Amino acid sequence: MSAHQRGTELDLSWISKIQVNQPAVLRRAEQIQARRPVKKEWQAAWLLKAVTFIDLTTLSGDDTSSNIQRLCYKAKYPIREDLLKALNMHDKGITTAAVCVYPARVCDAVKALKAAGCDIPVASVATGFPAGQTHLKTRLEEIRLAVEDGASEIDVVINRTLVLTGQWEALYDEICQFRKACGEAHLKTILATGELGSLTNVYKASMIAMMAGSDFIKTSTGKETVNATFPVAIVMLRAIRDFFWKTGNKVGFKPAGGIRSAKDSLAWLSLIKEELGDEWLKPELFRIGASTLLTDIERQIYHHVTGRYAAYHDLPMS
Amino acid sequence: MAATRTGSRACEIFTTLEYGPVPESHACALAWLDTQDRHLGHYVNGRWLKPEHRSSVPCQDPITGENLASCLQAQTEDVAGAVEAARTSLENWSTQPGAFRAQHLTRLAKMIQKHQRLLWTLESLVTGRAIREVRDRDVPLAQQLLQHHAVQAHTQEEALAGWEPLGVIGLILPPTFCFLEMMWRICPALAVGCTVVVLVPPASPTPLLVAQLAGELGQFPGILNVISGPASLGPVLASQPGVQKVAFCGAIEGGLRLLIQESVWDETMRRLQARMGRLRGGRGLDGAVDMGARGAAAHDLAQRYVHEAQSQGAQVFQAGSMPPDSPFFPPSLISDLPPASPCTQAEVPWPLVVASPFRTAKEALAVANWTPRGGSASVWSERLGQALELAYGLQMGTVWINAHGLRDPAVPTGGCKESGSSWHGGPDGLYEYLRPSGTPTCLPYLSENLNYDTFGLAVPSTLPAGPETGLSPAPPYGLFVGGRFQAPGARSSRPIRDSQGNLHGYVAEGGAKDIRGAVEAAHQAAPGWVGQLPGARAALLWALAAALQRRESTLVSRLERHGVELKVAKAEVELSVRRLRAWGARVQTQGCTLQVAGLKGPVLQLQEPLGVLAIVCPEEWPLLAFVSLLAPALAHGNTVVLVPSGACPIPALEVCQDMATLLPGGLVNVVTGDRDHLTRCLALHQDIQALWYFGSAQGSQFVEWASAGNLKPVWVNRGCPRAWDQDAEGAGPELGLRAARTKALWLPMGD
């Protein structure tokens, strides 16, 4: 992966005047889903591309080494070989972008991926995921331990209390400390947008997270009641663009939670293409956090190649 | 082999992630054209009409130029036939209970729903517009319009008691239009019980399809008739006996003017250009394009404007992915246009945007209002207070705050100035096709002999006319302009005789210069009067009523002098007082809030004054008609220039004495003189916002003709007398509707 985003000094003037026009954002979100359909070969190619953006995720209490192993194998071989061959895409090295697990499962994942002989990065959630309501000290320690275990990407959750009470300096300082604790690992900052109260807060939190040096900003943990939605994404993407215009630094974007269908994933790709442009459509700058999405994409590819809809047992389990 | 080719293609797309074509099949549109053997006639009285020996024009795909069908051109007798069909079905349709008409409209909405794919592919195919526009906006809105107006029809007997349908409506559509514009007009007309004849320009199949869908409902085939023909048939349709009203429809929206505050100019332009760069254009039937094309003519118009703007020193930014050849034209952002260059005055064609900077909100408002157009505008600001102030100040029919282009059947859409004064949708849209019950049907009478060049041009000279026998004290001599009595510019007078033929006195002979002065005075008084709270306006009207009461004996004797019986004269004064009080009370209840489906937040429906309203009072009821017309005009915040009764102007001048002490100067101006001459001066004045004329049929005809110069709304009586002493005609809601215009203010909310 490329070098880190270095962030900037805290500049509150970047966020003090911001006011997000929520009704307009909602309308744009509604339009954009209907305006850029892709069909036929384009759809197949876009879906395969979407596969390479997936952070294949399992974040359950009952995760054990066996299902982590299965997940890692699926990350390495996301689409049935014969389907890829039919599309002449079998030699493109299509894998998911990463696997994403709880800190305690990082070792299992690293081991399983090594056994499968691939260098897919392991991402670990951290900092008291999903609520973030633990002491700063333990949150920082959690990051360090996950990095020690071999996680090269850390998905941290922010302290929502700081956003809701407007303590932007404190938020900036915390994320800077996360950044430091990550060392060489990439920092993805989860804003938990479903709990921030307003789109204006989403914009402000995005900006603070980027100033503090996040490599990615991520919509949600997947555990809130409201997860990755288009309106929230538009606000975050506009923040990313503003940050890029101001600093020249490109920050990545990761929607997570609730993205289940192949059709959804196409809409997300076109959203990135429309709002940020093609240069953001690469795994270094765009990820989709999902667990069941891959299965649906594989079914759609199956249909594209064979003209039939697959039964679930026609495709390998993830 | 095929698989490999697909494969290699997929590889390429996998790298570039480009968009592909998403062609929408238009097979059904072609199949529909085939049912007519690619030869479209007119749809009248529930069946296709293909008269022989008519010329036809080709209907072409505006993008490929491919011939899709040929369309017959109507002739006069075809128009007459269609109007006849509409007249025949009117009897049946207008007498049905509202609930019954509601059901019929609902069935039509269902019919459109069932055949929506045909409708949207046909419309996109022949107009070249992007399918998403037609499919996602127009077709659903067409159904909503029908449903909304079905509800209105259902409650018509209660909600619109005292009103009856006008009759047969002629609708004339411009060369470029979308079928939705037709729906906005036919839905209210049909709902209230009118029947319609639509004249569409050649080669527009969609209205024919809509008419066919309506016709296939079985019952009432003749309520919607569509004929296609050249614009020269417009006057033919308008002059058909039985056509009670003609509605025109303007071309679909053109380009835009964008005013950006200097402090955010760079940032806004940057974002705008970035967004424009992502727009995709192409064949309308492609599901993934934002913009289609509107044919070669629209392309050339845009091209010409861009060239001219460049030659006048403007910067032109073009972006977006767009097929390079005509008829496609890229979205273009034009800036740095010098303020006085011809392009800043000209209408901006589609798909162009002309951006110019402003310094303060006040300046923005002045610039935005400095145009003969007054359709719609949007205000974008993060400060609600500022946005609202601008929205209230804009002379537009519709203003969106932090949004653009929203429409809903429940919200009246219209305009002011040259954008026209008729309304579609909402309650206002219904009144366009209604008249107060019992109003005599005055068929439009068009005299071929009226000479527009000379009507009211010369003022007959007046000479001393015998001994004055007027009661003293006579009202002060002069024209009541700017709050005081002034000598007329012509420095001559006209004699007023009483019912015996004796000279009663002289009144000033007003002329063009006096009208000009009166209009100026009215304009100066306007901001102050508009700014008054409704309560203050009501108080002044009531004060005037009290003054009139005090003056009762003088007024009665003046009226008696003109042959009015004592009892009647007393009643006239009393009723005049009551009228002033009644309109004073009505001032308080203006405007309302609408709730619109799908919009979080309210739509404010504001009642705004028209501006300077000119009124030519009828000869009869010299006091009552004067007051009955004056009161609603003032109540709604207008400033007024009045021409009183010609035979008996004295009572009006008496009232002026009270107005001189009570009302701000210039609020009401009364000009006496030759009525035809003054009418001519008023009708030809471009800075009068509305004109009411009660006089001869010829005068009415002249007023309508002359007022077309600035498209000011006119209200004429075509020589028919009005029962001013009856509340329905003398103080009915019709006067209120005429005296104000609606503005819809959209306020989306959310944080």
Side-chain angles (χ1 to χ4, degrees):
Chain A
M1 244 191 175
S2 57
H4 294 296
Q5 197 264 119
R6 304 232 303 276
T8 63
E9 295 293 305
L10 178 66
D11 186 344
L12 286 179
S13 73
W14 291 6
I15 62 166
S16 59
K17 278 190 286 183
I18 285 299
Q19 187 65 50
V20 176
N21 178 355
Q22 189 243 24
V25 171
L26 296 188
R27 266 198 309 283
R28 170 92 177 125
E30 202 177 293
Q31 287 168 357
I32 209 162
Q33 297 175 67
R35 286 202 185 170
R36 294 289 185 268
V38 277
K39 303 281 181 208
K40 306 217 163 106
E41 301 99 293
W42 284 269
Q43 191 180 70
W46 279 53
L47 286 175
L48 288 177
K49 196 73 181 186
V51 169
T52 68
F53 296 141
I54 293 178
D55 276 4
L56 196 59
T57 304
T58 181
L59 294 169
S60 305
D62 57 2
D63 285 342
T64 65
S65 62
S66 68
N67 77 313
I68 296 289
Q69 202 179 357
R70 201 164 60 215
L71 185 85
C72 291
Y73 189 83
K74 188 70 186 172
K76 166 85 168 134
Y77 303 105
I79 306 286
R80 239 169 61 175
E81 186 74 5
D82 58 327
L83 300 178
L84 289 177
K85 271 203 175 122
L87 291 166
N88 201 18
M89 296 290 288
H90 52 290
D91 51 359
K92 297 282 185 253
I94 292 176
T95 65
T96 67
V99 292
C100 180
V101 294
Y102 269 123
R105 300 271 73 81
V106 171
C107 283
D108 292 339
V110 170
K111 213 168 96 189
L113 286 170
K114 203 167 185 183
C118 67
D119 53 358
I120 299 173
V122 175
S124 169
V125 296
T127 69
F129 183 93
Q133 299 280 22
T134 58
H135 295 292
L136 180 59
K137 192 173 169 191
T138 56
R139 282 188 272 150
L140 290 169
E141 192 60 23
E142 210 181 342
I143 296 176
R144 288 188 203 105
L145 292 171
V147 173
E148 262 173 39
D149 282 353
S152 50
E153 301 179 7
I154 306 292
D155 290 23
V156 300
V157 292
I158 60 162
N159 186 340
R160 276 80 107 184
T161 315
L162 298 178
V163 175
L164 294 172
T165 53
Q167 303 179 59
W168 304 112
E169 293 92 339
L171 181 65
Y172 176 83
D173 289 342
E174 268 199 23
I175 300 174
C176 283
Q177 292 187 54
F178 295 161
R179 161 82 276 168
K180 216 168 142 200
C182 282
E184 283 307 301
H186 274 71
L187 174 67
K188 303 201 202 104
T189 305
I190 305 173
L191 304 179
T193 53
E195 294 177 352
L196 296 188
S198 72
L199 291 180
T200 305
N201 273 350
V202 169
Y203 183 93
K204 291 181 175 178
S206 302
M207 222 25 145
I208 296 285
M210 289 186 284
M211 287 191 232
S214 307
D215 295 296
F216 268 81
I217 51 176
K218 176 175 168 183
T219 57
S220 29
T221 60
K223 310 283 183 190
E224 292 100 41
T225 46
V226 181
N227 292 299
T229 64
F230 268 64
V232 159
I234 286 171
V235 173
M236 291 173 73
L237 293 173
R238 295 280 168 99
I240 289 173
R241 187 180 68 177
D242 289 349
F243 189 75
F244 173 63
W245 280 353
K246 278 182 203 287
T247 66
N249 294 355
K250 289 181 183 165
V251 175
F253 175 67
K254 177 177 173 186
I259 305 171
R260 295 197 179 85
S261 72
K263 198 174 167 217
D264 286 350
S265 69
L266 293 176
W268 280 98
L269 257 62
S270 65
L271 176 70
I272 304 300
K273 192 174 163 75
E274 290 297 307
E275 288 290 329
L276 294 175
D278 290 341
E279 46 196 315
W280 255 266
L281 283 171
K282 51 188 180 187
E284 293 79 26
L285 288 171
F286 179 55
R287 298 285 180 85
I288 299 172
S291 42
T292 56
L293 169 65
L294 185 52
T295 318
D296 195 50
I297 291 184
E298 202 176 2
R299 292 187 82 213
Q300 293 302 325
I301 299 281
Y302 183 97
H303 177 249
H304 177 77
V305 171
T306 65
R308 295 155 185 266
Y309 286 104
Y312 281 98
H313 60 249
D314 288 333
L315 300 166
M317 239 175 131
S318 60
Chain B
M1 206 43 216
T4 335
R5 204 163 55 234
T6 322
S8 63
R9 195 70 200 270
C11 281
E12 195 188 316
I13 304 166
F14 183 78
T15 322
T16 61
L17 270 191
E18 64 194 1
Y19 291 118
V22 190
E24 184 91 2
S25 164
H26 58 290
C28 59
L30 296 179
W32 179 76
L33 290 171
D34 284 337
T35 62
Q36 296 300 317
D37 302 323
R38 302 281 178 133
H39 184 61
L40 296 173
H42 318 296
Y43 198 83
V44 173
N45 208 12
R47 52 196 188 84
W48 286 95
L49 214 62
K50 295 180 184 172
E52 301 204 331
H53 312 299
R54 301 282 191 272
S55 59
S56 61
V57 287
C59 169
Q60 292 173 327
D61 181 328
I63 289 160
T64 62
E66 178 197 351
N67 261 350
L68 297 169
S70 64
C71 300
L72 279 184
Q73 297 267 66
Q75 287 181 2
T76 307
E77 51 267 44
D78 306 329
V79 177
V83 171
E84 190 48 44
R87 280 177 73 172
T88 316
S89 48
L90 178 69
E91 285 164 35
N92 196 357
W93 178 246
S94 61
T95 50
Q96 294 294 332
F100 195 84
R101 283 201 297 274
Q103 273 182 17
H104 195 75
L105 291 181
T106 313
R107 284 179 64 208
L108 181 54
K110 288 262 164 61
M111 195 75 165
I112 286 182
Q113 187 184 21
K114 287 172 196 161
H115 299 285
Q116 47 180 312
R117 168 173 286 274
L118 171 57
L119 197 59
W120 82 54
T121 47
L122 182 68
E123 173 81 353
S124 174
L125 176 67
V126 299
T127 61
R129 293 196 302 134
I131 191 101
R132 57 136 194 108
E133 231 175 273
V134 187
R135 180 193 57 203
D136 300 343
R137 193 194 63 173
D138 293 2
V139 173
L141 192 49
Q143 291 173 56
Q144 287 165 22
L145 275 165
L146 283 162
Q147 256 138 14
H148 171 85
H149 286 97
V151 174
Q152 305 305 311
H154 192 89
T155 56
Q156 187 178 0
E157 280 89 356
E158 298 156 51
L160 295 168
W163 296 83
E164 61 187 26
L166 271 176
V168 175
I169 307 295
L171 172 59
I172 299 174
L173 297 173
T176 57
F177 73 101
C178 79
F179 87 101
L180 196 60
E181 293 303 325
M182 177 180 88
M183 299 305 289
W184 277 102
R185 288 157 180 87
I186 63 170
C187 290
L190 293 177
V192 300
C194 296
T195 57
V196 187
V197 176
V198 189
L199 174 64
V200 297
S204 15
T206 323
L208 288 165
L209 171 61
V210 173
Q212 188 191 349
L213 292 178
E216 287 183 359
L217 292 176
Q219 290 165 300
F220 311 110
I223 56 172
L224 177 60
N225 307 281
V226 177
I227 42 178
S228 71
S232 58
L233 280 180
V236 175
L237 174 60
S239 59
Q240 287 298 311
V243 174
Q244 288 291 339
K245 174 172 180 137
V246 179
F248 288 96
C249 156
I252 41 174
E253 64 182 54
L256 294 173
R257 285 187 189 279
L258 189 61
L259 303 173
I260 305 170
Q261 194 153 27
E262 274 175 350
S263 55
V264 291
W265 172 269
D266 291 341
E267 191 75 345
T268 312
M269 290 296 270
R270 181 178 193 180
R271 281 160 201 273
L272 201 58
Q273 291 175 353
R275 180 82 175 80
M276 282 170 69
R278 307 252 181 255
L279 289 175
R280 300 188 73 231
R283 187 166 162 73
L285 284 166
D286 188 318
V289 302
D290 298 299
M291 302 165 49
R294 293 184 183 174
H299 171 273
D300 296 345
L301 199 66
Q303 186 71 65
R304 228 174 8 251
Y305 189 95
V306 165
H307 281 321
E308 269 174 42
Q310 273 168 331
S311 72
Q312 287 160 17
Q315 297 291 318
V316 176
F317 172 86
Q318 294 183 322
S321 100
M322 183 70 59
D325 40 348
S326 177
F328 296 101
F329 198 85
S332 311
L333 178 62
I334 297 167
S335 53
D336 296 341
L337 203 56
S341 66
C343 276
T344 42
Q345 302 301 317
E347 192 152 359
V348 184
W350 182 88
L352 272 47
V353 172
V354 175
S356 35
F358 66 87
R359 291 165 298 174
T360 62
K362 204 173 163 188
E363 185 183 46
L365 192 60
V367 175
N369 283 338
W370 200 271
T371 156
R373 286 168 286 275
S376 56
S378 52
V379 178
W380 297 79
S381 170
E382 284 163 3
R383 292 198 294 275
L384 186 61
Q386 187 179 53
L388 274 174
E389 185 169 28
L390 282 169
Y392 269 75
L394 281 167
Q395 291 162 12
M396 298 282 167
T398 305
V399 180
W400 298 283
I401 289 184
N402 290 340
H404 191 85
L406 309 178
R407 294 187 88 176
D408 187 276
V411 180
T413 311
C416 55
K417 297 196 256 186
E418 290 183 14
S419 295
S421 55
S422 65
W423 291 92
H424 321 295
D428 302 56
L430 297 173
Y431 290 116
E432 292 286 330
Y433 304 99
L434 291 167
R435 64 161 162 250
S437 305
T439 325
T441 351
C442 274
L443 290 181
Y445 154 83
L446 280 181
S447 163
E448 304 267 314
N449 303 328
L450 180 64
N451 187 338
Y452 294 119
D453 292 336
T454 56
F455 176 86
L457 190 61
V459 184
S461 327
T462 48
L463 302 167
E468 274 191 73
T469 56
L471 290 175
S472 58
Y477 170 83
L479 306 169
F480 183 65
V481 172
R484 58 199 178 84
F485 288 89
Q486 297 182 359
R491 296 289 189 269
S492 48
S493 308
R494 59 192 295 114
I496 301 298
R497 296 183 188 283
D498 61 19
S499 53
Q500 311 295 316
N502 298 324
L503 183 67
H504 185 174
Y506 289 95
V507 295
E509 179 76 67
K513 277 187 185 161
D514 304 303
I515 292 291
R516 192 189 68 190
V519 172
E520 252 167 49
H523 272 294
Q524 275 169 16
W529 187 237
V530 174
Q532 294 276 357
L533 289 176
R537 276 189 230 155
L540 271 178
L541 284 174
W542 281 29
L544 190 59
L548 224 67
Q549 223 163 6
R550 285 193 296 274
R551 205 176 276 278
E552 187 185 0
S553 59
T554 325
L555 288 168
V556 168
S557 68
R558 297 286 187 214
L559 290 169
E560 271 189 289
R561 186 78 199 271
H562 275 268
V564 183
E565 269 177 56
L566 176 66
K567 214 172 98 186
V568 180
K570 276 192 167 162
E572 181 169 355
V573 176
E574 198 184 312
L575 198 51
S576 301
V577 171
R578 233 188 304 149
R579 290 275 154 86
L580 282 168
R581 292 238 162 86
W583 282 106
R586 283 187 214 173
V587 173
Q588 316 269 2
T589 54
Q590 289 171 6
C592 62
T593 307
L594 303 169
Q595 196 57 56
V596 163
L599 175 84
K600 247 176 90 187
V603 180
L604 306 184
Q605 189 185 327
L606 309 176
Q607 291 292 310
E608 293 199 335
L610 301 166
V612 174
L613 174 56
I615 304 174
V616 180
C617 298
E619 291 287 5
E620 70 271 14
W621 295 102
L623 176 68
L624 180 61
F626 174 82
V627 170
S628 298
L629 290 164
L630 176 67
L634 289 182
H636 282 92
N638 302 290
T639 56
V640 191
V641 177
L642 287 125
V643 176
S645 163
C648 180
I650 311 275
L653 290 172
E654 290 283 356
V655 179
C656 288
Q657 293 184 68
D658 291 317
M659 295 199 281
T661 55
L662 288 170
L663 304 184
L667 179 53
V668 178
N669 306 278
V670 177
V671 181
T672 51
D674 183 77
R675 283 164 55 84
D676 284 353
H677 181 60
L678 296 176
T679 299
R680 182 184 183 89
C681 298
L682 290 169
L684 289 174
H685 202 300
Q686 301 277 82
D687 208 11
I688 287 173
Q689 277 71 46
L691 174 54
W692 297 353
Y693 176 85
F694 295 89
S696 65
Q698 285 213 332
S700 301
Q701 185 179 342
F702 178 83
V703 162
E704 289 191 324
W705 173 82
S707 298
N710 68 342
L711 291 182
K712 56 176 160 279
V714 293
W715 182 20
V716 297
N717 68 335
R718 302 186 194 291
C720 296
R722 233 180 134 80
W724 293 102
D725 54 334
Q726 301 300 311
D727 273 352
E729 289 184 33
E734 189 185 12
L735 284 107
L737 288 170
R738 301 266 190 189
R741 65 157 183 259
T742 303
K743 179 194 270 179
L745 192 59
W746 294 68
L747 279 168
M749 69 181 188
D751 179 32

